[in-house]
Amino acid sequence: MKKNYLLLCFVAIILGAGIFISCNHDDNEDEYLPVSPVVLDVTQVPYAKLSDYHFFDGGELKELSPSYKVLPYRPASELFTDYAHKKRFVWMPQGTKATFNGNDNTLEFPVGAVLIKNFYYDDVLPDHTTKIIETRILIKKREPQYNDDGDEINSGWEPYVYIWNDEQTEAFLDTEQQGVFVPVSFMHNGQQKDAFYKIPADTECRTCHKINLNETLNGEIVIPVGVKPQNLNYVYDYGTSQRNQLEKWVAEGYLENNIPATILSTVDYNDTSKPLELRARSYMDINCAHCHRQGGHCDYVNVRFNFSNSDPETVGICATPLFNVDNLPYVINAGDAANSEIIHRISSTDGSVMMPFIGRSIVHEEGVQLMTDWINSMQNHCN
Amino acid sequence: MKKLYVLLAVCSFPVLGQAQTVSFTQQALGGNVPYNPCTVDMDGDHLDDVVAIGSNQLKVWKQLASGGFTLATYAVTGLGLGNATPDWSIAAGDFDGNGFTDLVLGNGSRVSLVKANTTGTGYALSTYPQNIFTQRTNFIDIDNDGNLDLWACHDVAQSHAYRNDGAGNLNFDISLMPTLAVGGNYASIWTDYNSDGHIDMYLAKCRSGAPVGDPQRINLLYKNNGDGTYTEVGAAAGVNDGAQSWSTAVEDFDNDGDMDMVLSNISDQNRFYVNNGDGTFTDMYASSGIAAQVGSWELQSADFNNDGFVDFLWENGKELYLNNGNGTFTGYDLPFGQGGIADLNNDGFLDVQVGSNIYMNNGNPNKWIKVTLQGVESNRNGIGARVEIEGTWGKQTREIRSGQGFSNMSTLNAHFGIGSATAIPVVRVVWPSGTVDEYLNVSTNSTLFVLEGSSPALGVNNPSATKFTISPNPAKDVINVTFANDTQLASAQIFDLTGRKVMDSAINVNQIGVKSLSNGAYVLLLTDVDGKTYSQKFIKE
């Protein structure tokens, strides 16, 4: 049993989460300042069980009630994963923080930082139960390494997967790393969905989370995808308060306070009050741009789906597909979604046609509709 | 509904001298083939069938000898669901040698087998537990032990091999063929590039985002050392291209007796590697007449106009490139750029099946020959065999391959066009076992069935011939079989020269009654109690 409270008494700290501890040299008794119970020794991870990390000591493990300093977050625009719900958390060692590295780049995290992503369904058939399937974590285990040209050749990030037991009492490290299929039927907006959910193999984690930004020999590195300022510049409901996540991270001591005043930001693509184009581009960013960007897994396809790309041609509008597909002359056929490659691919479940080709077994109907609406709304047709 | 697509390819060839027309008639299959096409004989009659992976079922449009198809549907639990789909590739081969074709499904997460039972009346699905982002799959006898092994390219890690244990099982075993332990493995073409009688493998590689020079995107050539091991010689052979290759068509495009290669690349330029005959290649793309466009993930070859030169299909602007026979090709538009290539109406012209259609080749006056194989010492399908024909055209060469191009499965029969030639002086089959069968003066516009070791020119190199003798030969009522050792026979089968089985019986004495057979030439196939097989030809009179 680790000590959860560190004896410390040198300054008064007011913590935003409502914990107040006064500290006074004159007190007769030593006062205890709360510290995170999280256990994370980068030389020892990955641990065998999810509970070994003490990320969720706020209740039963399956409640995913975060321990002190385990901070929930959500990117404005979320990756579709067979309609699985997600609960994401970040934790960093005491006294360390992330730094800004551009609106559309992943924050630079300190060694020991961990990103935790739980995948679950809350209306699983036949009994309409909640089922947590897996918890994926990314741990920054070491400082990045660079080659002589200054190109990064190791980010220090490593991906691990913990698979929940049927009793939902524990999740165990996937040591096989071959991927595990979990057929799941669930209700989504009153409709039954049947997914052939896949807990990813190690190589699949790396396929989506890798980048070779400068196309360097041995330059493929693992990076987090969602934690970019453009996605975190978004209000999150922390339960006791609603706050912009970047501000919150700064307040928590998790982010250096040098964030630009203006950040070109994605939106929640489900939010119909937002402009259609922004929603669609946000959708493309989080679902497509980890591969379809410079140095990504689909780098050689000449489209760049990152939100910050302002060039219509490389966004795919009236762009000729690299791979010829019958009757689909353009990636995005402005005004004609039905004859757009991108709609063909996001509507497919054939592995060699579908996009994305990892992370889903069924079609994201709402996503297809969003992209269809956007493409059909375009006034300037191709040709 | 029939649509007629005609392209006129009026070319003149000094050797074959026949103006060529290629046209295809679009014909509804009567169903849809999801995923990748597979046009291969499933039931041992050497007529190409059309295979579709359905949900919980396998569908086979079986080609009838009388023309057309009959649809057979087999319940196969789990097939076509989840990861049991051939979304990246499909290949076919009778890996357990029971006379009925099995399938491998290359999926983005798993490799699965669809195995025919001993009567061909049912199929069973099994899925390997290893994760693999499968690309090209092949059945191929990697260690040349007479059994088909299985090969699967892996997009993001070292590729997989599966060893045939000789008892009808394929066991995951990378040590059978340990290729470079990095990803980027897209298409493996098994070919005897140096014509030394041992199968080699060319591996097209591609890795997006990787820089020039990254080993994940440098093509490799694995040369067979002749002892079941392989050595990578891509650089020495001059084929270590690094332009993001997806597929390779390996054929003797110039009919000089060795295999050349066309590469379909995603960046920079495609390649046309002409074999120098000394283990090296020279890129002749610049003078080939093939357009510079890159970006086709399929590339499949066949002689579509039966002029005696191998053409190819891809998806780069012009879908069909006809081989002009002089080192150049001419491109033509077609409404399809890939599919399962096979003779689906048994007219000697190759057709293409894709989706819910067959593009039936309308043919032309050019003549042809097809050679169908049944291995004895070698694997049942003769995969890895080299088939050669010699005549006024010089020499043409085919290799029997399971899994050509990037994703589809085409016929396992060797098909040759011979233009206006009127005779086929020599047909030769060089089997993986080393056995050579040679047939002289074979009829044009015919199908020649070759059972391994059964050719009239026995003794060319036939291990079976040294093991048993037939007497009398020619025979009237019975034939007596005498073995050099104490082989115990279990069964005998007799085939006519079209490959039709005319007798199948269990035997325990080395005498077989042949009285009921019509006069003519036959092939006797013997199986001993250990399952080993032997064959010879005999004459009934």
Side-chain angles (χ1 to χ4, degrees):
Chain A
M1 185 64 190
K2 291 261 184 182
K3 235 170 116 184
N4 286 350
Y5 294 88
L6 177 69
L7 178 62
L8 184 67
C9 195
F10 61 90
V11 65
I13 296 173
I14 297 169
L15 294 162
I19 300 167
F20 178 83
I21 291 160
S22 75
C23 208
N24 191 323
H25 282 286
D26 296 329
D27 283 356
N28 291 329
E29 294 180 9
D30 290 330
E31 293 289 341
Y32 288 88
L33 182 70
V35 297
S36 176
V38 167
V39 174
L40 202 155
D41 178 345
V42 293
T43 68
Q44 298 299 313
V45 292
Y47 300 131
K49 305 191 300 294
L50 181 61
S51 63
D52 292 341
Y53 296 88
H54 294 273
F55 293 140
F56 304 113
D57 280 1
E60 277 189 75
L61 189 64
K62 70 179 181 184
E63 291 170 26
L64 302 176
S65 176
S67 302
Y68 176 59
K69 294 304 280 184
V70 175
L71 188 66
Y73 73 93
R74 177 190 185 277
S77 178
E78 292 184 292
L79 176 72
F80 173 77
T81 316
D82 278 353
Y83 291 104
H85 300 296
K86 295 161 190 175
K87 284 184 180 170
R88 303 173 187 80
F89 301 89
V90 59
W91 180 88
M92 296 177 219
Q94 189 176 20
T96 66
K97 59 182 62 172
T99 56
F100 179 83
N101 184 31
N103 290 348
D104 60 347
N105 281 328
T106 301
L107 295 169
E108 290 295 335
F109 284 82
V111 171
V114 58
L115 297 164
I116 309 150
K117 196 172 177 185
N118 304 282
F119 291 70
Y120 69 101
Y121 292 90
D122 61 8
D123 197 352
V124 176
L125 297 174
D127 298 324
H128 302 278
T129 47
T130 293
K131 179 181 173 67
I132 310 174
I133 294 180
E134 58 165 326
T135 299
R136 303 179 193 171
I137 67 174
L138 276 169
I139 302 175
K140 185 151 179 176
K141 292 181 70 172
R142 64 188 82 82
E143 291 292 348
Q145 296 170 332
Y146 301 86
N147 65 14
D148 292 344
D149 297 329
D151 293 315
E152 196 169 340
I153 54 171
N154 190 324
S155 69
W157 287 102
E158 292 292 341
Y160 303 106
V161 173
Y162 289 82
I163 302 174
W164 284 73
N165 60 10
D166 289 341
E167 299 78 26
Q168 302 277 283
T169 55
E170 185 61 273
F172 297 91
L173 178 68
D174 177 15
T175 54
E176 303 284 322
Q177 301 190 329
Q178 301 300 305
V180 176
F181 289 91
V182 184
V184 58
S185 295
F186 57 93
M187 298 302 293
H188 171 72
N189 291 342
Q191 193 187 357
Q192 180 176 336
K193 298 278 187 186
D194 304 296
F196 196 64
Y197 184 95
K198 187 180 187 187
I199 297 168
D202 182 65
T203 55
E204 292 171 301
C205 297
R206 295 172 193 277
T207 296
C208 293
H209 280 279
K210 82 168 194 296
I211 196 161
N212 189 349
L213 203 52
N214 298 321
E215 300 194 347
T216 307
L217 198 61
N218 303 318
E220 292 179 359
I221 60 170
V222 174
I223 59 164
V225 172
V227 281
K228 298 167 184 162
Q230 65 172 20
N231 301 331
L232 296 175
N233 186 26
Y234 172 75
V235 172
Y236 184 84
D237 185 352
Y238 290 93
T240 52
S241 64
Q242 295 196 348
R243 290 190 72 179
N244 178 285
Q245 295 182 96
L246 292 171
E247 292 172 19
K248 174 72 173 177
W249 286 36
V250 169
E252 283 286 323
Y254 274 175
L255 183 58
E256 195 177 341
N257 191 9
N258 61 349
I259 306 298
T262 307
I263 292 175
L264 178 67
S265 299
T266 58
V267 300
D268 178 356
Y269 56 73
N270 295 308
D271 183 351
T272 54
S273 72
K274 294 288 193 290
L276 189 56
E277 179 172 2
L278 281 187
R279 292 171 58 209
R281 289 296 309 278
S282 298
Y283 186 81
M284 292 169 70
D285 182 278
I286 202 67
N287 283 285
C288 316
H290 44 284
C291 284
H292 288 293
R293 63 173 294 184
Q294 174 81 27
H297 190 69
C298 295
D299 166 286
Y300 58 41
V301 178
N302 189 26
V303 289
R304 299 289 180 257
F305 287 153
N306 46 305
F307 186 79
S308 52
N309 180 17
S310 57
D311 170 23
E313 172 91 16
T314 53
V315 167
I317 298 171
C318 301
T320 303
L322 173 61
F323 299 114
N324 187 29
V325 187
D326 288 347
N327 304 317
L328 303 174
Y330 303 109
V331 178
I332 291 173
N333 195 346
D336 186 2
N339 290 305
S340 295
E341 183 196 17
I342 197 169
I343 298 297
H344 173 64
R345 293 195 181 277
I346 66 176
S347 304
S348 175
T349 55
D350 178 339
S352 62
V353 175
M354 65 192 277
M355 286 290 158
F357 62 81
I358 290 178
R360 72 174 179 90
S361 67
I362 55 179
V363 175
H364 186 201
E365 305 290 350
E366 295 83 353
V368 172
Q369 191 61 52
L370 169 63
M371 293 300 298
T372 299
D373 291 347
W374 176 51
I375 294 170
N376 283 339
S377 75
M378 294 176 181
Q379 299 300 312
N380 298 321
H381 294 183
C382 307
N383 293 325
Chain B
M1 184 189 70
K2 287 196 171 188
K3 281 186 197 167
L4 189 64
Y5 294 93
V6 179
L7 65 88
L8 288 173
V10 182
C11 318
S12 63
F13 305 110
V15 179
L16 298 166
Q18 179 75 23
Q20 312 305 329
T21 302
V22 174
S23 65
F24 293 90
T25 299
Q26 183 183 337
Q27 185 174 310
L29 172 66
N32 184 48
V33 177
Y35 311 108
N36 293 300
C38 176
T39 51
V40 70
D41 172 36
M42 292 295 284
D43 52 12
D45 66 0
H46 297 289
L47 293 171
D48 291 319
D49 307 312
V50 177
V51 180
I53 304 300
S55 296
N56 289 314
Q57 62 179 14
L58 178 71
K59 293 160 92 171
V60 182
W61 281 268
K62 293 191 173 183
Q63 187 179 164
L64 301 171
S66 55
F69 299 91
T70 181
L71 174 60
T73 303
Y74 306 91
V76 185
T77 303
L79 185 61
L81 305 178
N83 51 36
T85 57
D87 45 10
W88 285 94
S89 71
I90 188 166
D94 181 8
F95 72 84
D96 57 357
N98 70 356
F100 295 96
T101 304
D102 313 297
L103 304 170
V104 56
L105 314 181
N107 170 273
S109 293
R110 293 289 187 268
V111 163
S112 294
L113 292 173
V114 181
K115 188 174 174 182
N117 66 15
T118 54
T119 53
T121 53
Y123 295 83
L125 171 71
S126 59
T127 299
Y128 289 94
Q130 296 83 20
N131 190 71
I132 176 170
F133 185 169
T134 321
Q135 303 284 287
R136 176 74 267 172
T137 45
N138 318 92
F139 284 109
I140 178 70
D141 186 359
I142 294 172
D143 54 3
N144 200 28
D145 65 352
N147 300 310
L148 289 175
D149 308 298
L150 175 60
W151 176 257
C153 287
H154 194 335
D155 188 325
V156 294
Q158 186 179 31
S159 293
H160 288 184
Y162 306 79
R163 188 190 297 269
N164 193 324
D165 65 1
N169 304 300
L170 288 166
N171 300 316
F172 174 61
D173 182 1
I174 285 180
S175 74
L176 174 63
M177 181 77 190
T179 46
L180 189 66
V182 299
N185 308 296
Y186 276 41
S188 44
I189 303 298
W190 295 82
T191 176
D192 181 9
Y193 83 96
N194 56 356
S195 304
D196 68 351
H198 300 291
I199 200 78
D200 313 297
M201 190 258 275
Y202 188 64
L203 187 55
K205 290 174 70 77
C206 174
R207 178 71 160 192
S208 194
V212 171
D214 188 309
Q216 295 172 104
R217 55 178 283 188
I218 294 182
N219 298 352
L220 301 173
L221 176 61
Y222 285 92
K223 176 184 172 184
N224 194 324
N225 300 321
D227 59 0
T229 66
Y230 293 75
T231 302
E232 202 285 307
V233 297
V239 291
N240 57 335
D241 198 26
Q244 311 280 32
S245 302
W246 274 55
S247 187
T248 311
V250 182
E251 300 285 354
D252 184 6
F253 287 105
D254 53 8
N255 287 350
D256 66 351
D258 54 33
M259 290 290 152
D260 313 300
M261 305 181 187
V262 177
L263 270 60
S264 169
N265 292 342
I266 301 303
S267 70
D268 304 317
Q269 69 280 305
N270 303 305
R271 299 285 187 188
F272 176 34
Y273 286 125
V274 175
N275 196 321
N276 299 323
D278 60 358
T280 68
F281 294 78
T282 302
D283 181 21
M284 304 293 283
Y285 200 87
S287 59
S288 69
I290 311 170
Q293 183 177 336
V294 295
S296 176
W297 75 10
E298 265 306 350
L299 172 54
Q300 301 168 270
S301 46
D303 182 356
F304 286 104
N305 57 1
N306 283 4
D307 67 347
F309 291 98
V310 180
D311 317 305
F312 67 87
L313 278 180
W314 66 4
E315 300 157 297
N316 269 341
K318 301 294 185 189
E319 287 81 12
L320 172 66
Y321 272 91
L322 290 179
N323 187 338
N324 299 322
N326 58 1
T328 71
F329 296 78
T330 303
Y332 298 90
D333 290 317
L334 284 178
F336 55 91
Q338 53 104 19
I341 300 171
D343 187 357
L344 295 172
N345 56 359
N346 202 26
D347 67 347
F349 287 81
L350 290 173
D351 315 301
V352 182
Q353 194 281 320
V354 59
S356 55
N357 292 312
I358 297 172
Y359 292 93
M360 210 63 96
N361 191 325
N362 294 325
N364 62 32
N366 282 341
K367 295 186 166 48
W368 51 271
I369 179 172
K370 291 192 291 183
V371 182
T372 64
L373 303 184
Q374 183 177 328
V376 178
E377 302 267 323
S378 306
N379 68 84
R380 173 87 181 202
N381 303 107
I383 290 165
R386 186 173 269 211
V387 183
E388 302 166 342
I389 63 170
E390 292 175 4
T392 54
W393 54 85
K395 183 172 175 182
Q396 290 194 56
T397 307
R398 299 285 186 274
E399 289 180 336
I400 306 302
R401 301 195 194 111
S402 166
Q404 305 218 47
F406 178 65
S407 55
N408 305 331
M409 179 69 211
S410 295
T411 183
L412 286 168
N413 300 332
H415 163 272
F416 300 87
I418 56 169
S420 57
T422 54
I424 305 170
V426 179
V427 175
R428 186 181 303 111
V429 180
V430 182
W431 297 84
S433 65
T435 297
V436 177
D437 283 303
E438 211 168 73
Y439 286 79
L440 306 180
N441 298 317
V442 178
S443 303
T444 62
N445 290 5
S446 71
T447 299
L448 175 69
F449 169 73
V450 179
L451 183 68
E452 182 177 6
S454 67
S455 66
L458 273 182
V460 172
N461 183 1
N462 180 3
S464 283
T466 65
K467 288 176 183 149
F468 79 101
T469 56
I470 291 175
S471 64
N473 188 8
K476 235 181 168 68
D477 298 332
V478 295
I479 52 176
N480 296 293
V481 174
T482 307
F483 269 83
N485 55 25
D486 58 354
T487 299
Q488 293 230 306
L489 291 179
S491 67
Q493 295 173 318
I494 296 175
F495 297 84
D496 68 18
L497 293 188
T498 69
R500 192 170 60 95
K501 196 192 307 180
V502 295
M503 185 180 293
D504 190 348
S505 64
I507 58 168
N508 49 25
V509 293
N510 292 357
Q511 189 173 78
I512 302 153
V514 294
K515 195 169 183 178
S516 61
L517 299 179
S518 310
N519 288 352
Y522 293 91
V523 174
L524 172 65
L525 177 65
L526 299 171
T527 306
D528 70 15
V529 290
D530 298 325
K532 283 191 174 140
T533 52
Y534 313 88
S535 68
Q536 279 200 50
K537 197 177 175 206
F538 71 93
I539 307 292
K540 166 70 165 67
E541 62 175 26

